[in-house]
Amino acid sequence: MTGTGGEEMGVQAARSRALAVLRVRSRALAVALLPAAAAVILVAGGATGHLTGGVWDALRWVVSGLALLVLAAAAAVALVVARARPAVTPTVTVDEESAPDLYGMVRDLADRLDVPAPSAIALTPDCDSWLEDRTHPAHGRPPPAPEPDGATLPGGPAPRRGDAAPVLVIGSPFLWWMRVGELRAVLAPVVAGTGPSAHPDIAAARRFIRGLDAAAAVVSAGGRRGPLSRAAHGGLGRVVRLLLRGCRVHAAEMERGVAWAAAERAQAVDYGVRIVAQEQVGLAYAGWDRLLTRVALPAWRMGRWPARLDVGVVAALTELSRRDRLAEGFASRLGERPACDLLEEPGAMDEAVSLLAARLFHGGPSGASPDWSPVGWDDYPEEVVDRTWRTDAARLHRVLDALGVRRAAGHTAPGTGGPTLARVLDHLTTPADEAPPGALPTPAPATDPAPAAAPGAAPTRAHAAEPAEPARRAESPGSAEPAGGDGSVTRTGSPADAAPRRPPAPAYGDHDTHGGHLATHPHVAQPDAAHLDTDLPGGDSDDPSGHRRAAPATPTPATPTPATAAAVDEADDEADDDDLAGTTARGAALAAGLSAQLAREEAEASVTGAGAPDAHPAAAAPTAGPAPDPALWDDRALPLLPLQPPRTGREILTAHVTAMVCCAAMDTAGAVPGLDWLDGPSLLFDGVRAADLAPSVLTLVETGDPGPLRTWMTELGIRPEKPVRLV
């Protein structure tokens, strides 16, 4: 059913489900008042002389005491639900002065749809768009509601917080990749959701669910001490989870009805263009994902953040269209006005969103610093690619020094004892009389062979036995810091607990990004988002019931006990052993040493504050322009959406050997670092990207056979016996 009939049915379905949610709240209130009602009856019966006697007097005291306890517990639950801060996605607010054309387009769209206009517009570094309610007092002052006549009476009543329209959150890649007409068509079903959102019953049901979800996050947060506190939080958690389970189905159906009504209302606006625009949504997501994981992540690990990520999306998608021979089809649409022209200063907005992306996906600081500075695309090969390779190569040679590996082999010429690729190849090559591939290394002796220091290399404190140790050590309760090169998080433990362990992190895409269907997202946090699986990753983008779960504004890490930490570390060590089982004994020892060295470096960086999130995000803005909303941040939860899980020992070893090969190619064969928009750092020979390097390195790491890699280097003129320049 389409048209007004379908829209009305969607609204009615949403309202009926909202009333069901409110009935759950009413039943909970009735249960809390039931002992008090019984106590009132008993007291009234005693006062009138009907219920007298010793038994009734005792029952009256027991019921009255129970009523007081139940009322106190109900008041505590209500207080926690009311004061808990609902989850809100960190965004960059777009002021109307900085984007009058964008605000004008959204308001014109709301007028055509006959719905209230969003109260504000914000950008998010994600390929999604939704409506978000920010009327809770913890989210700051409510945005002023636009007046229909354009004027307000002086001294008139201020708009109530509950009456403010939701905020329209737009994915920044859409603005740079889409044309104005395409963006308008994609936002039509999203803006249409402000109509059902204004219904009193639906708004009240959403507030109740958000409060319960925020209370569940508060209950699940660690750091409580004392048996009374744990008992109180345990009881509160059981009550909140019970209410959330009762509301879960009704809340999901309510949001499905709201999405249904919004989609039906938006059909009359740019329906034909919307079909074409949905294809661009999928392309934008593909380019954004590749850009973050292949291009931005290596820069973030080096303490640099690309300041024009959205511009990079356009370049990546243009390259993708060229490779897929779709450039002719895209040429016509690229001639139209891009949606970023609706912003007065798109460059400043792109920089703010790029910094926000670095914080969300990597956990970087909130502003520029000597250890965290922006980098332009023109400087990326030199500042990021070259520096990354040489840093990894230097770390590789430091670990070889710690293992006692000689600088120069017996057959090398004098003066070639520096950091050479031949040293790495000779060490990883499996001798004929060595154990078969797959054998794990035996523990190294605890003595320090006092290896020779590499020229220009930083001194290392690693002993010969340390590379064989696990790369992660158990932390003390209260500390949490993922390692593995994926970013650092502010530590809550002491500097003595610096060695981090790497908990499993969700891959990018574990947050819901319904890029294929944006007709939903009146945006309410899902029922029991901290405990129930109501927002599964990889959902069907065509399902209008899909909801986006906001990133938690209040962190909910569970404080690990020593037994739990030991169990996690044991499981991680077993996983590492399984990963290194397919390598040689020398490769496994070298991979363990590299993992331990990386863990130490990241621990030191976390303690000294290098690359760690700031405590006050608004205090170190990179520019005077737009910045992420400081009221929405909680730095203890960063990174909210890690892009990739921590790297395994085999991946770390492969990356370091590849970096050493690239350094040798640059210093002995005239190769240069390059940037591939879809694959990230690349090695260029005469402007052409080098191929077939990864399989050769894997053969060396896994089997100890340097033959394919030596053949590849011989064809390109790379001399492994020559020393290379390290950082």
Side-chain angles (χ1 to χ4, degrees), residues 34 78 124 228 439 513 527 547 573 626 651:
L34 186 60
T124 178
L228 292 179
T513 51
H547 312 294
D573 294 340
E651 292 172 345

Side-chain angles (χ1 to χ4, degrees), residues 280-542:
Q280 308 308 320
V281 170
L283 284 173
Y285 179 82
W288 181 249
D289 182 72
R290 293 292 291 267
L291 186 75
L292 290 182
T293 56
R294 305 295 181 88
V295 178
L297 186 58
W300 295 337
R301 286 172 174 165
M302 293 302 300
R304 309 296 298 272
W305 52 279
R308 295 292 186 270
L309 281 179
D310 291 304
V311 173
V313 170
V314 178
L317 292 177
T318 303
E319 177 66 16
L320 179 63
S321 65
R322 184 189 65 82
R323 293 184 184 182
D324 292 343
R325 299 181 180 179
L326 299 175
E328 296 181 0
F330 285 107
S332 59
R333 63 176 299 275
L334 292 179
E336 302 174 7
R337 184 188 182 191
C340 62
D341 282 355
L342 299 174
L343 304 174
E344 291 293 320
E345 297 181 359
M349 197 65 64
D350 192 4
E351 183 175 356
V353 174
S354 300
L355 179 58
L356 177 59
R359 305 200 67 205
L360 281 175
F361 301 122
H362 184 68
S366 62
S369 66
D371 298 318
W372 184 249
S373 56
V375 60
W377 293 124
D378 293 337
D379 300 328
Y380 185 93
E382 184 68 25
E383 297 292 332
V384 175
V385 180
D386 183 84
R387 182 183 170 193
T388 299
W389 287 342
R390 299 191 186 277
T391 301
D392 289 350
R395 185 182 301 110
L396 178 61
H397 281 277
R398 287 200 299 271
V399 174
L400 289 175
D401 290 340
L403 289 173
V405 179
R406 291 184 301 173
R407 279 280 172 172
H411 61 275
T412 56
T416 59
T420 63
L421 176 58
R423 181 193 190 198
V424 179
L425 298 179
D426 293 340
H427 177 69
L428 291 177
T429 300
T430 302
D433 56 348
E434 191 171 307
L440 293 177
T442 57
T447 58
D448 190 348
T460 176
R461 295 173 296 176
H463 297 287
E466 288 182 346
E469 296 176 357
R472 299 167 305 281
R473 301 171 185 170
E475 293 179 288
S476 61
S479 63
E481 179 185 354
D486 287 330
S488 57
V489 176
T490 303
R491 294 182 59 84
T492 57
S494 62
D497 302 324
R501 60 181 175 88
R502 301 180 296 179
Y508 178 64
D510 283 357
H511 58 293
D512 192 7
T513 51
H514 297 281
H517 189 96
L518 303 179
T520 66
H521 306 301
H523 194 76
V524 56
Q526 291 300 297
D528 201 10
H531 306 282
L532 303 178
D533 256 343
T534 58
D535 189 15
L536 299 177
D540 188 358
S541 60
D542 294 330

